[in-house]
């Protein structure tokens, strides 16, 4: 997905992912997805803030990164000329 976002982005991208494990804990508090311990069905990848930053840095320069309500990581990213391997 990041490779495609990089391809179609002219200069900036706003990208967000759930902040794990806090997203799953919030689901449990809301009594959502109890059988899967708060894991949302269909969420294949699970990112901590550090994991998210490491992934973004392969494709973009991070202009600003924030955590919203403790459960969402949101990054404003600037496209790099060449992506790192």
């Amino acid at each position: 997905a990041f490779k495609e976002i990089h391809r179609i982005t002219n200069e900036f991208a706003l990208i967000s992912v759930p902040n794990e494990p806090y997203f799953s804990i919030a689901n449990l508090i809301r009594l959502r997805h109890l059988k899967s311990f708060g894991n949302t069905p269909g969420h294949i990848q699970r990112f901590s803030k550090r994991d998210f930053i490491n992934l973004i840095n392969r494709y973009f320069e991070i202009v600003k990164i924030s955590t919203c309500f403790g459960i969402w990581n949101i990054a404003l990213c600037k496209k790099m000329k060449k992506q790192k391997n």
Side-chain angles (χ1 to χ4, degrees), residues 1-7 15 47 52 55-56 59-60:
F2 278 87
K3 194 179 263 189
E4 182 66 7
I5 293 168
H6 186 270
R7 186 185 73 78
I15 305 170
F47 297 101
F52 186 47
L55 182 58
I56 290 171
Y59 299 92
F60 297 94

Side-chain angles (χ1 to χ4, degrees), residues 24-78:
S24 294
I25 293 167
N27 277 339
L28 288 172
I29 291 168
R30 296 179 319 142
L31 302 177
R32 302 283 313 260
H33 314 297
L34 297 175
K35 289 182 182 180
S36 60
F37 303 104
N39 294 312
T40 304
H43 282 198
I44 298 168
Q45 300 291 333
R46 296 172 53 99
F47 297 101
S48 67
K49 188 172 184 177
R50 181 179 293 150
D51 294 335
F52 186 47
I53 290 169
N54 289 338
L55 182 58
I56 290 171
N57 282 331
R58 293 178 58 199
Y59 299 92
F60 297 94
E61 174 188 335
I62 297 173
V63 176
K64 184 174 183 175
I65 189 160
S66 299
T67 302
C68 183
F69 303 114
I71 60 172
W72 289 100
N73 290 317
I74 304 167
L76 175 61
C77 309
K78 185 174 182 181

